[in-house]
C-alpha cells in the first residue's frame, strides 16, 4: 500500500500508473460489454468513417467501431500479458532460487538451459512454439511465458546467490530452520523489490510481443478484436484511412510507456538506499 | 613553529533546502608544521567529516561547508582559505600539499592496475614526472614504507598483497608529492593488531623523516596515545575537548572524554581478568578434539593442487558457565573453528561432542555484524520467532511473552516487537541478536567478534550485558575476538590461535600476564593502550606462514609443554 501511495507521488510514476489504471478501466468496461458500439457488429453504411463524435476513433472497412474494438483489444492484450508474465515470474523465480540454493551441478544445468532459451530472439522462439502447437490465446500465453522465464531466473539467481552468503541465512541454519523457511522468508522476501520492478518492465515487453504475434496472425484469431490484428488490417488502407493505423499504434505505445514509467518509478521507490533514508 | 592549518568555526551541512542537516557545528583547531593531531570520537561524531572538509572531499559526499574558514599555508608561504577555494585550486592542493590515507586499503586501490603503476601515477600527476623516472621513484617509495623486495612488489596487483602491505602502498602514494599534511582516516582499523603496530611505527618514523604534519582520525583513544602531540575529542559535531596529549589523557576535563577513557577497555596485561569463581572444572559441555578444516584448491576441474589448512588439529574443552576466548588474527582459523562447531562449515576430520543440553540445539551463535545478521524485511517478532518455529514451537501468547521478557532483559522495550532491524542502532541490533540466540534456551553461545563492530562505549555496555546474562542463565561462551583488551574483560580461559592451530591455552590471567609462546608475546606487545604510551614500538615484520599445503600434507604432531597449572604452550618448531 505504501508503495502504491508513493507511486502516485512520484513524478513520472504517476503518469505511468494513471495510464495503466485507464487501460484497466477500459478493458473491464469492454469485458462486461459496456462499449459505445457493438465491437463485432458490421454496419455497411458507416464503412471507413473518420473519427467523429459518434465514432471516436473512426470505423474500419467492415463498418465496425474501432474504439469499441480497441477496448476489447486492450483487454485481450492485458489477459495475455498478465497471464504470461505471471507464469514466467513463478517459473523463473523457482528456477533461479533453486539454481542459487543448490549450486554446483544444478546451477550449471538449470542456468545453461536458460541460456539456450535466451539465445533465441524472443519473437523467433515464440514463433517456433506456435508453429508446433498452433495459434491461439493460450498458445500466445505459453509462448511468451517461456520466452520470459530465463529473464526472471537470472534476475532472481544473482541476488539470491549473494543473499545466501549473508549472515542471517547462516544464523537461520544455526537455529535449524528448514530449507523451505529460509528460501521463502530470507531469500524470496528480500527479492520482492527487484521482482516487482522486473514484472512491470516485463509486462511492457509482453504487451509488445502479444501485439507482434497477433499482427503476424499467430495470436488471437479474427474476428475477435486485438491490437495486432487491427494494425495488420490497417496496412493496406494506410493512405485512405490513416486512423486505422494511428489509434491501435498509439494504444500499444502508450501501454508500453505506462508500464515502463511505472517500472522505473518502482525501481526508485524500492531501492533499498532510498528506503533506508526515509525510515 | 609556524602554523600550517588554522580551522575556525567550521560548519558543514549535508543535504539541501529543508532537508539540510548540520553535522559540524563550528569546530576550531590549529596545527603547526610537523605536529600530530589526533581526532577521537565515536561513529557520527563528525571526526571524518572534519578531516574530509580540509581537503574538500566532503563536497563529493553530498556535504558542503556552510560557515567558517580553513586557513592553510602553502609550501611557498602563501596563505589560502581552503573553505573558499575553487575546485581547480583544490585539485592542486590535494595532489601536492595534502595527502590522505583511508580505512580500507583494498577499496582505495584500483584492483586492475599493479601497485607500481598506481604509485607511479601518483608521481606523474603530483610531481609531473615522466614514465621511467616515476617508476624509479615508485620503487624508492616502496622502500621508504619498508616493503621488502620492493622491485618485485611493483608488479603485484593489490589482491596479491596482505592488508598491511596494501596500507603501506596507500601511504607510499599519499607521500608521493612530499605533502606537508597527511590525513589518516582510521588507517589501521581494518588491520590486525600486530600489523596495526607496524603501521603506527611506520607513520611515526615517516613523520619525523619528512617533517610532515599528521591528522590522525580514530575511535581508539588508546591507539593515538603514543603518536599524537595533541588530541581533539569530538562528540555530535562539536569538539568537546582539545589539548596536549598528556593533559587530555591524564586530566580530562569534559565528561565525555572521561566517559570515553573509562569505556575503552584498557589492556592491563592480565591484571584485570574476571575473578568470579569458576566451577571446579566439571565435565566439559563441549569437547572438541583434533578438529581439522581444509578447503581444497583446485587448479583444474578435478585435479587437487593441495588445500588451505584453515584449522589444523584443534583441541579444547568448554566447561559449563565458563568463557573460553579464542584470540588470534585474521586467517588464524578462529572463526572457522566457531563455524565448524555450529556445522556451518564441514569439518574435514575431528570430533565435536556437545553434551545433551537444555534444548535440542544447545549451541547458538551471535555474529560480528549486527547489520548483516538480521533479515531487513522481517520485524522483530518474526526474527525472534524463527528459532522457535524451526524447533516446532507454535507462535502463541506464551512465546510472545518469552520474547518480551528477553527483549526487556537485553534492554529493549516492548514496542520493539513491531519494528524492523534498520530502525535500531548498531548496539541495539546486537542486543537483538543476543536475545534471538537465547530464544532456544541454549547452554553455549558462540560469540564471533560479537562486539568488534560496535562503538567503544556501546561495546562496554554489551560486554557487561553478556557477563550478566552468563551468570543469570548459566551460559558458556566461546568468545572469538582479536581484541586483547575485550578478551581480558570477559574470558576465564584463553586459547591463542595462530596459522590454524592453538599455540597456547590456559587461564586468562596466566596467558595474558606470562605469555610463553613467541606469537602470544608478539600479540600482547602490539596492543596499544593509554597506559603504555611511553613504550616505543619496533617494526616487526615476521610474515605469517602460508596455510596452503600440498595434497596429502599432514602437520607433525603437536608437543605440549605445561608451564603452570592449567597453562599449556605448544612447542615451537622450525616449520
Amino acid at each position: 500500500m505504501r508503495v502504491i501511495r508513493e507511486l502516485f507521488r512520484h513524478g513520472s510514476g504517476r503518469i505511468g500508473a494513471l495510464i495503466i489504471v485507464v487501460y484497466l478501466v477500459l478493458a473491464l468496461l469492454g469485458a462486461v460489454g459496456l462499449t459505445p458500439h457493438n465491437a463485432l457488429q458490421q454496419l455497411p453504411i458507416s464503412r471507413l468513417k473518420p473519427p467523429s463524435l459518434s465514432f471516436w476513433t473512426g470505423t474500419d472497412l467492415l463498418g465496425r467501431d474501432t474504439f469499441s474494438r480497441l477496448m476489447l483489444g486492450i483487454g485481450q492484450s492485458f489477459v495475455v500479458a498478465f497471464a504470461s508474465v505471471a507464469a514466467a515470474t513463478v517459473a523463473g523465480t523457482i528456477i533461479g532460487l533453486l539454481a542459487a540454493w543448490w549450486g554446483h551441478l544444478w546451477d550449471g544445468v538449470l542456468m545453461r538451459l536458460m541460456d539456450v532459451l535466451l539465445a533465441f530472439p524472443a519473437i523467433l522462439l515464440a514463433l517456433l512454439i506456435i508453429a508446433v502447437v498452433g495459434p491461439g490465446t493460450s498458445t500466445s500465453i505459453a509462448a511468451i511465458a517461456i520466452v520470459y522465464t530465463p529473464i526472471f531466473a537470472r534476475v532472481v539467481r544473482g541476488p539470491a546467490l549473494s543473499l545466501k552468503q549473508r549472515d542471517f541465512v547462516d544464523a537461520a541454519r544455526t537455529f535449524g530452520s528448514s530449507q523451505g523457511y529460509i528460501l521463502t522468508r530470507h531469500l524470496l522476501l528480500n527479492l520482492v523489490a527487484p521482482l516487482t520492478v522486473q514484472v512491470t518492465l516485463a509486462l511492457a515487453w509482453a504487451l509488445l510481443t502479444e501485439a507482434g504475434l497477433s499482427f503476424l496472425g499467430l495470436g488471437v484469431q479474427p474476428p475477435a478484436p486485438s491490437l495486432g490484428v487491427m494494425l495488420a488490417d490497417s496496412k493496406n488502407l494506410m493512405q485512405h484511412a490513416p486512423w486505422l493505423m494511428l489509434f491501435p499504434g498509439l494504444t500499444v505505445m502508450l501501454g508500453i510507456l505506462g508500464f515502463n514509467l511505472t517500472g522505473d518509478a518502482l525501481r526508485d521507490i524500492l531501492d533499498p538506499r532510498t528506503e533506508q533514508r526515509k525510515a | 613553529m609556524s602554523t600550517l592549518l588554522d580551522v575556525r568555526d567550521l560548519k558543514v551541512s549535508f543535504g539541501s533546502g529543508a532537508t539540510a542537516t548540520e553535522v559540524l557545528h563550528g569546530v576550531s583547531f590549529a596545527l603547526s608544521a610537523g605536529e600530530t593531531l589526533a581526532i577521537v570520537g565515536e561513529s557520527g561524531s563528525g571526526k571524518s567529516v572534519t578531516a574530509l572538509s580540509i581537503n574538500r572531499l566532503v563536497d563529493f559526499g553530498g556535504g558542503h561547508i556552510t560557515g567558517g574558514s580553513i586557513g592553510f599555508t602553502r609550501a611557498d608561504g602563501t596563505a589560502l582559505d581552503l573553505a573558499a577555494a575553487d575546485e581547480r585550486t583544490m585539485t592542486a592542493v590535494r595532489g601536492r600539499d595534502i595527502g590522505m590515507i583511508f580505512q580500507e586499503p583494498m577499496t582505495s586501490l584500483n584492483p586492475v592496475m599493479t601497485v607500481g603503476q598506481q604509485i607511479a601515477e601518483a608521481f606523474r600527476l603530483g610531481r609531473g614526472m615522466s614514465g621511467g623516472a616515476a617508476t624509479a621513484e615508485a620503487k624508492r617509495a616502496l622502500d621508504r614504507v619498508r616493503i621488502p623486495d620492493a622491485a618485485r612488489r611493483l608488479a603485484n596487483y593489490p589482491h596479491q598483497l596482505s592488508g598491511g602491505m596494501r596500507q603501506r602502498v596507500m601511504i607510499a602514494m599519499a607521500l608521493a608529492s612530499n605533502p606537508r599534511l597527511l590525513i589518516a582516516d582510521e588507517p589501521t582499523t581494518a588491520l590486525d593488531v600486530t600489523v596495526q603496530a607496524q603501521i603506527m611505527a611506520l607513520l611515526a618514523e615517516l613523520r619525523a623523516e619528512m617533517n610532515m604534519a599528521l591528522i590522525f582520525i580514530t575511535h581508539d583513544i588508546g591507539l593515538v596515545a603514543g603518536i599524537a602531540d595533541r588530541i581533539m575529542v569530538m562528540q555530535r559535531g562539536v569538539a568537546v575537548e582539545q589539548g596536549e596529549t598528556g593533559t587530555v589523557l591524564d586530566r580530562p576535563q569534559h565528561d565525555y572524554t572521561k566517559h570515553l577513557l573509562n569505556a575503552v577497555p584498557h589492556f592491563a596485561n592480565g591484571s584485570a581478568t574476571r575473578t568470579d569463581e569458576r566451577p571446579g572444572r566439571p565435565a566439559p559441555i563441549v569437547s572438541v578434539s583434533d578438529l581439522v578444516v581444509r578447503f581444497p584448491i583446485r587448479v583444474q576441474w578435478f585435479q587437487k593442487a593441495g588445500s588451505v589448512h584453515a584449522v589444523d588439529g584443534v583441541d579444547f574443552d568448554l566447561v559449563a558457565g565458563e568463557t573460553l576466548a579464542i584470540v588470534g588474527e585474521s586467517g588464524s582459523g578462529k572463526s572457522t573453528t566457531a563455524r565448524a562447531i555450529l556445522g556451518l562449515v564441514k569439518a574435514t576430520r575431528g570430533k565435536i561432542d556437545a553434551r545433551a543440553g537444555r534444548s535440542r540445539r544447545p549451541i547458538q551463535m551471535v555474529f560480528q555484524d549486527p547489520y548483516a545478521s538480521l533479515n531487513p524485511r522481517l520485524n522483530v517478532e518474526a526474527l525472534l520467532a524463527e528459532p522457535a518455529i524451526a524447533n516446532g514451537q507454535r507462535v502463541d501468547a506464551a512465546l510472545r511473552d518469552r520474547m518480551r521478557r528477553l527483549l526487556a532483559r537485553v534492554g529493549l522495550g516492548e514496542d520493539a516487537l513491531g519494528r524492523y532491524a534498520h530502525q535500531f542502532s548498531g548496539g541495539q541490533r546486537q542486543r537483538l541478536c543476543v536475545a534471538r540466540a537465547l530464544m532456544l534456551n541454549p547452554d553455549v553461545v558462540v560469540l564471533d567478534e560479537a562486539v568488534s563492530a560496535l562503538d567503544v562505549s556501546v561495546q562496554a555496555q554489551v560486554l557487561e550485558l553478556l557477563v550478566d546474562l552468563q551468570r543469570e542463565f548459566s551460559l558458556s561462551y566461546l568468545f572469538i575476538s582479536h581484541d586483547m583488551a575485550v578478551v581480558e574483560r570477559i574470558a576465564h580461559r584463553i586459547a591463542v590461535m595462530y596459522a590454524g592451530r592453538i599455540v597456547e591455552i590456559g587461564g586468562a590471567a596466566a596467558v595474558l600476564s606470562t605469555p610463553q609462546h613467541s606469537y602470544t608475546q608478539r600479540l600482547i606487545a602490539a596492543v596499544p593502550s593509554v597506559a603504555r604510551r611511553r613504550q616505543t614500538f619496533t617494526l616487526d615484520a615476521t610474515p605469517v606462514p602460508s596455510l596452503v599445503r600440498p595434497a596429502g600434507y599432514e602437520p607433525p604432531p603437536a608437543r605440549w609443554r605445561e608451564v603452570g597449572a592449567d597453562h599449556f604452550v605448544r612447542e615451537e618448531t622450525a616449520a
Side-chain angles (χ1 to χ4, degrees):
Chain A
M1 278 305 100
R2 185 187 63 84
V3 173
I4 292 177
R5 221 180 313 123
E6 281 193 27
L7 187 60
F8 278 94
R9 239 178 267 150
H10 187 281
S12 59
R14 184 165 35 205
I15 300 170
L18 211 64
I19 295 173
I20 295 175
V21 169
V22 168
Y23 271 44
L24 278 174
V25 169
L26 287 177
L28 278 176
L29 289 176
V32 296
L34 287 173
T35 50
H37 299 269
N38 186 333
L40 299 178
Q41 192 182 27
Q42 303 177 6
L43 290 173
I45 43 159
S46 52
R47 284 167 55 177
L48 291 177
K49 287 272 188 289
S52 64
L53 277 177
S54 56
F55 301 106
W56 299 337
T57 56
T59 58
D60 64 10
L61 190 62
L62 301 173
R64 294 174 297 194
D65 175 38
T66 54
F67 191 81
S68 307
R69 292 181 68 75
L70 281 176
M71 284 170 73
L72 294 188
I74 290 171
Q76 176 65 34
S77 295
F78 269 35
V79 166
V80 173
F82 279 100
S84 59
V85 170
T89 309
V90 172
T93 304
I94 291 173
I95 291 171
L97 265 185
L98 293 183
W101 186 251
W102 287 331
H104 303 297
L105 193 63
W106 277 105
D107 190 21
V109 170
L110 287 172
M111 293 319 286
R112 291 305 77 74
L113 211 66
M114 295 295 107
D115 285 348
V116 169
L117 289 181
L118 265 183
F120 291 98
I123 203 98
L124 194 69
L125 186 60
L127 282 178
L128 189 79
I129 295 163
I130 290 163
V132 174
V133 190
T137 307
S138 43
T139 324
S140 302
I141 293 173
I144 297 173
I146 291 170
V147 168
Y148 287 104
T149 297
I151 294 174
F152 281 98
R154 282 203 167 179
V155 164
V156 165
R157 177 180 169 267
L161 274 177
S162 97
L163 285 167
K164 187 185 157 187
Q165 306 287 335
R166 297 277 287 276
D167 280 353
F168 58 75
V169 172
D170 276 345
R173 287 201 180 107
T174 68
F175 312 138
S177 289
S178 64
Q179 288 197 27
Y181 189 92
I182 297 177
L183 279 170
T184 50
R185 304 302 304 270
H186 292 312
L187 267 56
L188 199 55
L189 200 58
N190 279 293
L191 290 167
V192 168
L195 271 176
T196 312
V197 175
Q198 193 59 41
V199 162
T200 329
L201 298 176
L203 281 171
W205 283 104
L207 205 67
L208 187 63
T209 312
E210 193 277 334
L213 287 177
S214 52
F215 179 85
L216 296 172
L218 300 166
V220 188
Q221 295 302 303
S226 132
L227 300 176
V229 173
M230 288 172 78
L231 278 169
D233 289 347
S234 73
K235 66 179 188 290
N236 295 329
L237 298 160
M238 212 178 340
Q239 272 142 15
H240 309 285
W243 61 88
L244 285 184
M245 172 168 280
L246 182 69
F247 291 106
L250 272 179
T251 308
V252 173
M253 194 203 83
L254 273 179
I256 292 168
L257 185 72
F259 283 119
N260 274 330
L261 287 179
T262 311
D264 287 347
L266 284 175
R267 179 174 298 164
D268 293 347
I269 293 164
L270 295 171
D271 186 330
R273 273 165 300 183
T274 51
E275 229 176 316
Q276 291 279 340
R277 222 180 309 134
K278 279 188 200 97
Chain B
M1 259 195 287
S2 62
T3 304
L4 176 71
L5 187 71
D6 184 18
V7 177
R8 289 212 187 136
D9 198 30
L10 180 67
K11 292 191 172 107
V12 175
S13 293
F14 279 82
S16 58
T19 56
T21 348
E22 192 173 84
V23 295
L24 277 193
H25 317 291
V27 173
S28 305
F29 62 92
L31 189 66
S32 305
E35 197 181 32
T36 299
L37 170 74
I39 304 182
V40 182
E42 297 184 273
S43 47
S45 63
K47 56 187 195 301
S48 286
V49 173
T50 307
L52 291 173
S53 304
I54 295 170
N55 58 9
R56 293 277 296 281
L57 284 178
V58 74
D59 296 11
F60 299 96
H64 43 263
I65 296 171
T66 50
S69 65
I70 306 171
F72 182 74
T73 317
R74 299 190 74 169
D76 53 12
T78 53
L80 181 70
D81 182 7
L82 299 180
D86 60 15
E87 182 53 32
R88 261 185 61 180
T89 320
M90 283 317 299
T91 307
V93 168
R94 278 183 216 123
R96 299 200 192 107
D97 298 316
I98 303 179
M100 177 145 189
I101 47 178
F102 298 89
Q103 175 172 346
E104 184 44 74
M106 189 65 212
T107 52
S108 314
L109 290 168
N110 185 342
V112 296
M113 279 168 74
T114 66
V115 298
Q117 287 168 336
Q118 296 184 57
I119 302 172
E121 186 185 25
F123 280 101
R124 279 208 312 277
L125 299 177
R127 290 217 231 143
M129 288 182 176
S130 63
T135 310
E137 269 307 313
K139 191 199 157 286
R140 248 199 303 278
L142 280 191
D143 283 332
R144 184 158 71 178
V145 294
R146 281 77 166 165
I147 289 187
D149 201 6
R152 200 167 55 84
R153 289 294 179 196
L154 284 176
N156 281 164
Y157 288 90
H159 69 92
Q160 293 171 305
L161 304 177
S162 67
M165 289 270 208
R166 287 198 284 262
Q167 197 58 287
R168 284 176 208 213
V169 170
M170 281 305 297
I171 294 174
M173 286 170 68
L175 298 184
S177 54
N178 284 325
R180 308 177 60 231
L181 172 63
L182 180 67
I183 300 172
D185 188 0
E186 304 253 12
T188 61
T189 308
L191 304 175
D192 281 327
V193 58
T194 54
V195 181
Q196 165 174 291
Q198 293 166 24
I199 297 288
M200 293 305 289
L202 176 67
L203 281 174
E205 284 182 31
L206 291 172
R207 179 187 54 152
E209 264 174 45
M210 303 176 60
N211 188 31
M212 170 179 71
L214 179 65
I215 294 181
F216 195 99
I217 298 156
T218 183
H219 64 279
D220 185 353
I221 202 165
L223 178 64
V224 293
I227 193 173
D229 299 310
R230 290 191 307 115
I231 290 182
M232 175 162 92
V233 180
M234 291 193 65
Q235 185 192 22
R236 291 194 214 101
V238 178
V240 294
E241 180 163 359
Q242 52 180 313
E244 298 288 319
T245 301
T247 320
V248 173
L249 294 182
D250 296 332
R251 291 182 298 282
Q253 300 298 314
H254 196 276
D255 285 342
Y256 182 68
T257 315
K258 289 178 194 163
H259 166 73
L260 212 54
L261 281 164
N262 289 328
V264 181
H266 299 297
F267 183 63
N269 287 67
S271 60
T273 48
R274 283 171 72 174
T275 49
D276 51 343
E277 86 260 33
R278 282 189 279 139
R281 300 204 63 72
I285 190 156
V286 176
S287 178
V288 174
S289 51
D290 192 32
L291 179 69
V292 175
V293 182
R294 289 175 192 164
F295 301 106
I297 307 168
R298 291 198 172 95
V299 174
Q300 257 146 29
W301 277 29
F302 296 104
Q303 177 199 356
K304 281 187 191 177
S307 42
V308 176
H309 290 216
V311 176
D312 221 354
V314 160
D315 306 82
F316 62 82
D317 289 341
L318 181 61
V319 173
E322 180 187 80
T323 305
L324 172 66
I326 300 185
V327 299
E329 304 193 317
S330 48
S332 63
K334 55 188 197 306
S335 281
T336 310
T337 306
R339 295 173 70 83
I341 289 171
L342 280 147
L344 293 175
V345 294
K346 210 170 155 285
T348 312
R349 195 171 71 208
K351 252 172 61 182
I352 300 162
D353 287 321
R355 207 176 62 195
R358 290 177 286 227
S359 76
R360 265 171 46 202
R361 294 197 165 257
I363 309 178
Q364 289 296 309
M365 181 156 173
V366 176
F367 294 80
Q368 170 169 6
D369 184 354
Y371 292 81
S373 50
L374 296 171
N375 185 341
R377 300 263 168 204
L378 294 179
N379 66 17
V380 171
E381 185 176 329
L383 288 170
L384 290 182
E386 185 179 352
I389 293 170
N391 286 274
Q393 295 177 39
R394 292 251 308 280
V395 183
D396 51 17
L399 191 74
R400 282 203 187 85
D401 192 49
R402 180 169 169 75
M403 289 179 193
R404 276 192 209 99
R405 269 185 291 126
L406 274 174
L407 282 177
R409 187 60 199 85
V410 299
L412 294 172
E414 261 187 35
D415 59 324
L417 276 182
R419 292 158 74 193
Y420 289 83
H422 65 85
Q423 292 167 300
F424 296 92
S425 69
Q428 286 174 323
R429 286 185 204 209
Q430 202 57 304
R431 287 165 189 268
L432 207 53
C433 290
V434 171
R436 183 172 64 169
L438 295 181
M439 276 302 286
L440 292 179
N441 196 15
D443 299 84
V444 179
V445 180
V446 176
L447 300 151
D448 187 2
E449 301 271 12
V451 298
S452 305
L454 307 176
D455 271 332
V456 277
S457 56
V458 178
Q459 192 178 51
Q461 292 161 11
V462 173
L463 271 182
E464 213 167 290
L465 172 70
L466 288 173
V467 172
D468 289 347
L469 289 173
Q470 180 166 44
R471 291 206 194 97
E472 200 173 318
F473 296 93
S474 58
L475 297 166
S476 305
Y477 287 153
L478 188 65
F479 192 88
I480 316 273
S481 182
H482 69 282
D483 188 334
M484 304 300 277
V486 165
V487 163
E488 188 177 21
R489 290 294 174 287
I490 195 164
H492 294 109
R493 300 181 78 228
I494 292 178
V496 181
M497 278 192 79
Y498 181 61
R501 300 167 196 172
I502 292 180
V503 294
E504 186 162 356
I505 185 166
V511 171
L512 295 179
S513 60
T514 53
Q516 298 296 316
H517 195 276
S518 64
Y519 175 69
T520 317
Q521 290 164 356
R522 269 213 320 275
L523 195 63
I524 287 174
V527 179
S529 78
V530 172
R532 299 159 101 194
R533 66 177 184 266
R534 282 174 196 97
Q535 295 174 12
T536 45
F537 296 119
T538 45
L539 279 175
D540 170 15
T542 316
V544 181
S546 167
L547 298 174
V548 180
R549 304 284 192 184
Y553 173 86
E554 284 300 328
R559 285 205 303 278
W560 293 90
R561 190 155 53 87
E562 186 165 5
V563 289
D566 183 32
H567 186 181
F568 299 86
V569 60
R570 193 185 189 107
E571 285 193 357
E572 292 173 55
T573 53

